[in-house]
Structures are given as C-alpha cells and as structure tokens.
Amino acid sequence: MKKYSLFISLLALLLTQNACNQEYLNPSAASEQQVVNSPDGLVTLVNGLQYRYTFGRTGVIYNGVAASGLATRELRVLNAGNTDELFLEQGFASVQGSNAVIRNLWTSAQLTRSTADIVLSNANRVITDAGLRSGVVAYASIFKALSLGTMAQFFQQAPVATGTNAAFVSREQLLRDAISTLESAATLIGTTPPSAAFLSRIPTGIDITNTIQALIARYALFVGDYDKAIAAAGRVNLATRSSFSFDDNSRNPVFETAFSNTNVFAPTNTNFGLPATLAPDAADRRIAFYTRSGATATQNLGTGFYTANTAPVPVYLPGEMLLIRAEAYARKNDVANAVTELNKVLTKTAAQDAWGVGAGLPAYSGAQTGPAVLTEIYRNRQIELAFQGFRLEDSRRFSRPGPETTPQANAERTRNFLPYPFTERDNNSATPADPTN
C-alpha cells in the first residue's frame, strides 16, 4: 500500500481530526485547491480512502470489530489496562461518549465519508476522461457507503454532510443514502467501466463491480428492502474475492492490535460467545477456521482473517451473500427458498468457498417454519461472519435478548446503540441525546 504516502500529505491539508461540524477545506491554501481541481489530486484522495478507513487502532475496521464484538460477548478483554475496550465489554452504563473506541469509530467513518464527498463533488467537474472518472466515482462511492452503513450499524443517528452544527438523520436514512450512492455508481460503471489506468493507481484487492452489489445487498437487508437485497446478492460473483489489502507499512489492524498478542482482546471461546442453544455443531469446520485448536484461557484464540500483518480482510464473504438471501426470503415468509440458500452455507466446504470458509455440515433438518429457520440463519451468520463487526446489528435485527433483559447476565448484547462521542457533542449543538441503552 505504498501508494498511500502522497495521500497522507494531502490528507493533512484537507482534513482535520475534529468533529463533523468542522469545515474540511481551507480556501486560503492554494495547495488544497490544486488537489480538488486536479484529476491527479482526486485520484490521490480516492487512493487514500482505504487507508483512512482501515488504518490501525484508529480506523473503522478495528473499532467496528471491537465495539460490536465486545458489546455482544463475541470477544473478551485480555488485559484490563485497555480501559476503553473493558468498558465496552462491561457494557450498559459503563459505555460513555468519552470512550476512545467509539470516538475513533465515529471519527474515522466521518472523515472517510467527508473525503469521499469531496471527491464526488468534484469528479464530474475536473475529470474529463470517462474511464478515469468512472473509477474515481465508483471507488469513492464504495467508501462513502461503507462509512454511512457503519454509522448506521452502531448509532441511531448521524450527520450525512459536513458543516457547522451538521444536522443528524436517522439510521434508516443513512442506509438509504448508502444504497442510493451505490446504485448511482452501479449505473455509471455499467455504462463506462473504470479504466485500466485508474485501476493501476489504487490499492489492489477491491473488486469494484461485485463490491457495489454486495454492499447494496447488505444495506438493503438492514433497512428491510428484502427484494432489493435478494436481487443484489444474486448479482455478486461468489467466486471473486474483494478485500482490503495490507502490507508491513499499513498492517492488518485486528491482527496487529489484538489477535497477534494476549494484551487487548480475543474471541470469548470456540463457541463464538454464543449461548448454548446457538452453539455451533462440533463438526462445523468453521470453528477451526476462526479459532485456534488447543488454546488455553491465557492464549489468543483468534485466527480467521487476522493471521498476519499482510493478511487481506474481505469486504464481504460469499457466505454473507447467501445468508442475506436466506434471511430476506425468510422475512418474506418464503421458507422453501430460505432453506435452499441456508443449505448452500451449511453444506459448503472450504474448497467450494473463495475464501476457504466452509462448514461441511448436513443440510438443515429442523422445523420448516419462519422463526426456526431465522434462528438457524442467525446462528450461521455469527459463525460464518465471525469477528467482522456485524453481531450488534444482527442481534438487534433478530430481536435477541438485549440490555433490557432481566437478569442482565442473560443479555446477549449489553447495548442497543452506542452513545455519541464527546468530540461531536462538544462541537455540534445538533447532537441528539444519547440512547438510553
């Protein structure tokens, strides 16, 4: 990811680390105007979106995995000296707007969204080459959508624009804006594919066409647009990988910070922190994919996609697309099609999966009812998509026992939504009241 060095310099000119009530452009600096008025400058900003989104302990990936996993008992803290992670594990009232994980998640997502907006606002005006413009717009649209979708997974509301006292919109609107952005990008690249010249100037790994459809499917499911989710997931080529790439300069953030050591957090257990009623089948081969065999309580169980500094992290998994279709069919009361899609996940072997994630289990033989099938879909989402930051969203959507549960020890999540970070509240008078839990 050596392409990022120039981006970092330009980012320092364009962005600040403050809340989204701050303007990110400084009109008095000529160098900033050169960036937004130059095709090369916009390509450089686009090239750095992945860096902003994924980088280290401040990026969205680490903090999304940490916040979701710790708030749902999927992960456990190994060293109580990591107080922000510890408070998330404790959950309930221990989670405050001063928490660094929450602050970094919010800030990185908003800065990524803001940079993408800068690119999208200027691409048509500045870039005359159609293939270059198509690539720039599509790539920026992916990261804008990822940022909006991530905010919707963790917060009840968030701003979608940069400005003084920026207004907040509902999480439903965040998801719909993400989908709309992606659909516009899909139309553009369907007419004019990104050029080879553009693709050679961005980090390798992300398959633009398939990623756009996969994210439409993901966020359409979250917002309850089941027909759109089914159609978009069906358009994804499940044999094609799409990933965030890393190297020794920009490292896999979960491996570097957590799974490579016994100092931050680890998987709760080889049952993925699920209650006994949802524990995976002992023969499920995904257990060995995501956790280390023979690990003791003082070791880190985590493997999966966090095995080395250079290990790529999938933007989506083939199994996610199958489970999106299964869930959407089930919620439409089409149990037969839901079971068909679910069985593709259950019976899939590692050799049949683009990323080597295979359960190798028999087909579903449980009750052929909507509630029973949905429970099995939930179980498989937590195994197939382990440690990827989805469990908090899933737990709410499937109405699993939450923070209102009595006794609290039976809660499968300790928060419904996260509070807003103090960095936003202190700088934006439009910040809503924190959710009660």
Side-chain angles (χ1 to χ4, degrees):
M1 301 179 80
K2 61 186 179 181
K3 296 182 177 73
Y4 289 155
S5 58
L6 178 56
F7 162 76
I8 297 170
S9 298
L10 292 175
L11 186 68
L13 293 171
L14 286 171
L15 304 177
T16 75
Q17 290 293 327
N18 291 324
C20 58
N21 68 319
Q22 302 296 311
E23 295 290 349
Y24 293 119
L25 285 174
N26 177 2
S28 67
S31 55
E32 297 173 7
Q33 293 305 315
Q34 289 169 7
V35 171
V36 299
N37 285 308
S38 159
D40 286 344
L42 293 181
V43 170
T44 300
L45 285 180
V46 158
N47 180 55
L49 286 169
Q50 183 181 157
Y51 179 92
R52 173 70 272 173
Y53 189 83
T54 66
F55 183 70
R57 203 163 181 165
T58 63
V60 173
I61 288 184
Y62 170 79
N63 291 289
V65 169
S68 178
L70 292 169
T72 58
R73 311 188 196 278
E74 181 185 32
L75 300 171
R76 60 189 172 92
V77 171
L78 297 173
N79 180 349
N82 296 286
T83 55
D84 294 299
E85 285 84 356
L86 180 65
F87 288 150
L88 280 164
E89 181 182 44
Q90 294 172 346
F92 305 102
S94 296
V95 182
Q96 300 291 321
S98 57
N99 190 288
V101 173
I102 295 173
R103 180 180 66 247
N104 288 333
L105 177 63
W106 178 276
T107 301
S108 291
Q110 286 288 6
L111 287 174
T112 304
R113 189 270 312 156
S114 178
T115 306
D117 276 341
I118 291 170
V119 172
L120 293 171
S121 296
N122 289 281
N124 288 337
R125 176 180 62 83
V126 172
I127 303 174
T128 57
D129 180 270
L132 180 64
R133 182 171 62 248
S134 171
V136 165
V137 169
Y139 201 79
S141 296
I142 285 171
F143 279 93
K144 177 176 180 176
L146 281 168
S147 300
L148 293 174
T150 298
M151 300 294 284
Q153 288 175 237
F154 291 95
F155 300 96
Q156 285 182 316
Q157 301 178 55
V160 292
T162 301
T164 301
N165 294 325
F168 280 60
V169 302
S170 70
R171 65 183 300 269
E172 178 179 344
Q173 189 60 52
L174 293 170
L175 292 167
R176 294 196 182 281
D177 283 3
I179 293 167
S180 176
T181 298
L182 292 163
E183 288 177 331
S184 295
T187 299
L188 176 61
I189 65 172
T191 302
T192 307
S195 65
F198 170 75
L199 296 175
S200 69
R201 297 175 66 180
I202 59 172
T204 59
I206 291 181
D207 182 282
I208 292 175
T209 300
N210 284 296
T211 296
I212 287 172
Q213 294 302 323
L215 295 180
I216 290 172
R218 178 185 296 172
Y219 300 137
L221 177 72
F222 291 173
V223 84
D225 192 338
Y226 302 128
D227 290 333
K228 181 169 289 188
I230 290 167
R235 287 192 285 267
V236 178
N237 182 346
L238 301 186
T240 301
R241 288 187 176 196
S242 185
S243 64
F244 304 111
S245 56
F246 301 98
D247 60 23
D248 285 332
N249 295 314
S250 180
R251 301 173 180 176
N252 180 307
V254 177
F255 174 78
E256 179 187 31
T257 305
F259 279 19
S260 63
N261 58 66
T262 56
N263 187 55
V264 185
F265 63 68
T268 298
N269 51 41
T270 55
N271 285 342
F272 304 96
L274 292 168
T277 55
L278 295 177
D281 188 313
D284 194 324
R285 296 175 184 173
R286 293 171 295 186
I287 297 172
F289 182 88
Y290 282 112
T291 62
R292 294 175 182 161
S293 61
T296 69
T298 58
Q299 294 174 321
N300 195 318
L301 287 169
T303 56
F305 300 106
Y306 313 117
T307 57
N309 284 332
T310 58
V313 173
V315 182
Y316 63 88
L317 284 177
E320 181 190 1
M321 297 301 106
L322 297 173
L323 289 167
I324 284 172
R325 287 171 61 86
E327 182 182 340
Y329 278 126
R331 295 194 186 279
K332 285 166 53 71
N333 298 314
D334 186 344
V335 174
N337 273 319
V339 171
T340 296
E341 298 297 329
L342 172 61
N343 283 337
K344 293 176 185 177
V345 175
L346 288 169
T347 63
K348 173 169 55 75
T349 65
Q352 295 169 326
D353 185 88
W355 287 94
V357 183
L361 294 171
Y364 175 71
S365 60
Q368 301 289 310
T369 65
V373 171
L374 280 168
T375 297
E376 188 63 21
I377 290 167
Y378 177 79
R379 181 210 313 265
N380 276 274
R381 279 189 65 91
Q382 307 326 307
I383 303 168
E384 186 84 7
L385 309 178
F387 321 132
Q388 294 177 55
F390 294 120
R391 186 172 293 188
L392 183 60
E393 168 70 34
D394 289 352
S395 181
R396 286 194 313 266
R397 193 171 70 257
F398 282 83
S399 300
R400 300 299 303 177
E404 306 88 353
T405 302
T406 303
Q408 290 184 344
N410 292 334
E412 293 179 21
R413 64 181 182 278
T414 60
R415 296 287 307 187
N416 286 324
F417 292 97
L418 300 180
Y420 303 106
F422 287 169
T423 49
E424 185 70 24
R425 186 170 302 285
D426 291 345
N427 291 282
N428 185 352
S429 62
T431 305
D434 286 335
T436 55
N437 52 53

